[in-house]
Amino acid sequence: MTAFTRARLTRRGFGAVVLASLLAACGQATATAPAGSGTRPSEAPKAGSAPTSSAAPSPITVYSGRAENLVAPVLDQFTKATGIEVKARFGDTAELAATILEEKGNSPADVYFAQDAGALGALAAEDRLSQLDPNILGRVDQRFRSSKSLWVGVSGRARVIAYDTTTLAESDMPDSVAGLADARWRGRVGWSPKNGSFQAFVTAKRMIEGDESTRGWLLAMKANGAKDFANNTAQLQGIADGQISVALPNHYYVYSFYKEKGESFPVRNYHPRGGGADAMVNVAGVGILTTSRSRDAASRLVEYLLSADAQRYFADATYEYPLIAGVQAAPRLKPLDQIKTPAIDLSNLTDLRGTLKLLQETGVV
């Protein structure tokens, strides 16, 4: 696999306001896996497991907002299995989406591999993604793919309430995060309002409940003494250190602590039973660009990412949810079909500019 040199982007006025929102909100994301993200060494998927095709191999270019140390082994195995050469450019998910829009019809990218569905939705809204093969889409639950067949999830990341097992049980947890604004939780809740996954959650909350309800919750949480932490890892460490009792991370962060400190680490995940935005499962996913010059080869890569071996690799490497049937998630993970997720189209998680404005107006950031 060949890696492009990553360059700084000059963002010009190309008219995609939604991407400006994504850039503003996702600026914290990095091209390498963040400490405590759950990424850990894992065996790459077997080379012999890729779908077969009689088509002559054609090279493809992938723009990946997922970490190089996570994705590169998968792309290497895909090349070994198919003979299709892959050139990869790694970077921030939102920046790469902005680059694709700036490049217009001249983009060399065939496949866009995004860290979150909002960025895929932003490209879809600009008519930059082409429809995927229905046979490929059918492998993934409709909750985790484009309603217009323009992208498909590869792995899932669930929002949870993490809690201190030395003082609390799951039965103590409220039905939703709305309950964390109650007096009993005063000064006991941690959050990371500058984190991209938190902002995606707030965006979903705005979609479901409206801006005023979301504003009220943010103000109530602030008044109740919610404590700011730099990131999700710091929130969980805050629970272990006794600074807080509950936190609002993605599900997989606690697994890094289990790996490092053992199963006795005193934090567990709870999936809110109310089924609102706080129970959302966002995805990392892929789409094929309308400007792809190697459509068949690009489709084979998407199919490969949804093969059992590739799905097992992502589950083992990141503790994220595999999205095809028959591949087991990490032990302790609540099965996806038992999580009551909100009825939203993940493609619509694009108004991060509005979310940032709300967070600023309420003084949360």
Side-chain angles (χ1 to χ4, degrees):
M1 181 188 62
T2 304
F4 287 162
T5 301
R6 186 182 178 193
R8 282 189 174 275
L9 303 177
T10 302
R11 294 188 277 278
R12 297 182 292 274
F14 49 81
V17 174
V18 67
L19 258 298
S21 303
L22 287 168
L23 286 162
C26 300
Q28 303 171 75
T30 57
T32 56
S37 68
T39 301
R40 59 188 174 96
S42 178
E43 292 185 3
K46 298 175 184 178
S49 62
T52 58
S53 171
S54 59
S58 178
I60 58 174
T61 296
V62 174
Y63 279 15
S64 175
R66 304 226 69 186
E68 182 173 2
N69 63 341
L70 173 67
V71 174
V74 182
L75 299 182
D76 286 340
Q77 291 301 323
F78 171 73
T79 296
K80 290 177 183 178
T82 64
I84 298 172
E85 179 187 359
V86 179
K87 298 179 180 179
R89 176 173 181 168
F90 296 94
D92 174 84
T93 284
E95 287 186 347
L96 290 173
T99 299
I100 289 169
L101 290 183
E102 289 180 326
E103 290 170 339
K104 299 181 180 179
N106 297 316
S107 178
D110 297 288
V111 175
Y112 176 55
F113 195 172
Q115 180 75 8
D116 63 82
L120 288 159
L123 285 188
E126 296 290 324
D127 297 322
R128 299 309 307 274
L129 299 180
S130 57
Q131 288 201 329
L132 298 176
D133 184 336
N135 292 323
I136 295 176
L137 288 167
R139 299 183 185 186
V140 175
D141 188 295
Q142 62 182 1
R143 291 182 294 171
F144 309 123
R145 53 183 165 92
S146 164
S147 60
K148 297 180 179 179
S149 304
L150 298 175
W151 58 263
V152 65
V154 172
S155 60
R157 305 192 310 281
R159 295 297 296 174
V160 295
I161 298 176
Y163 64 94
D164 180 359
T165 58
T166 66
T167 60
L168 296 166
E170 183 170 316
S171 58
D172 296 316
M173 296 297 101
D175 288 347
S176 74
V177 293
L180 296 178
D182 292 345
R184 68 167 297 201
W185 299 106
R186 185 177 302 278
R188 301 175 65 191
V189 181
W191 62 3
S192 300
K194 293 181 180 179
N195 180 267
S197 61
F198 178 86
Q199 292 174 5
F201 146 67
V202 174
T203 303
K205 192 172 180 65
R206 291 174 53 226
M207 287 172 55
I208 297 167
E209 302 176 21
D211 282 4
E212 289 313 304
S213 175
T214 304
R215 180 190 302 274
W217 178 76
L218 291 169
L219 290 172
M221 289 289 289
K222 184 181 177 185
N224 211 33
K227 296 180 180 179
D228 290 356
F229 287 84
N231 52 46
N232 288 315
T233 302
Q235 288 186 65
L236 298 188
Q237 188 62 56
I239 293 177
D241 292 343
Q243 296 174 268
I244 53 175
S245 299
V246 298
L248 303 176
N250 280 347
H251 79 271
Y252 46 84
Y253 284 90
V254 72
Y255 285 86
S256 289
F257 284 96
Y258 294 157
K259 183 174 186 294
E260 180 181 346
K261 302 178 183 296
E263 294 287 330
S264 62
F265 184 69
V267 179
R268 293 292 183 268
N269 288 334
Y270 157 66
H271 297 266
R273 45 188 168 263
D278 47 6
M280 176 178 67
V281 177
N282 204 339
V283 299
V286 291
I288 297 176
L289 277 296
T290 54
T291 52
S292 172
R293 297 166 180 81
S294 303
R295 168 80 195 193
D296 289 345
S299 185
R300 290 180 70 186
L301 175 59
V302 175
E303 187 176 7
Y304 180 75
L305 292 174
L306 294 175
S307 68
D309 284 335
Q311 287 282 289
R312 197 172 295 114
Y313 167 76
F314 284 116
D316 289 345
T318 66
Y319 301 107
E320 296 178 357
Y321 280 97
L323 295 182
I324 67 168
V327 177
Q328 294 297 314
R332 285 188 178 272
L333 283 189
K334 186 171 185 175
L336 272 178
D337 60 6
Q338 295 181 22
I339 300 175
K340 188 178 179 182
T341 57
I344 60 172
D345 186 340
L346 295 175
S347 292
N348 295 330
L349 294 176
T350 55
D351 186 22
L352 291 172
R353 171 169 287 178
T355 292
L356 282 170
K357 183 173 182 289
L358 185 59
L359 292 171
Q360 291 163 354
E361 289 175 351
T362 54
V364 171
V365 297

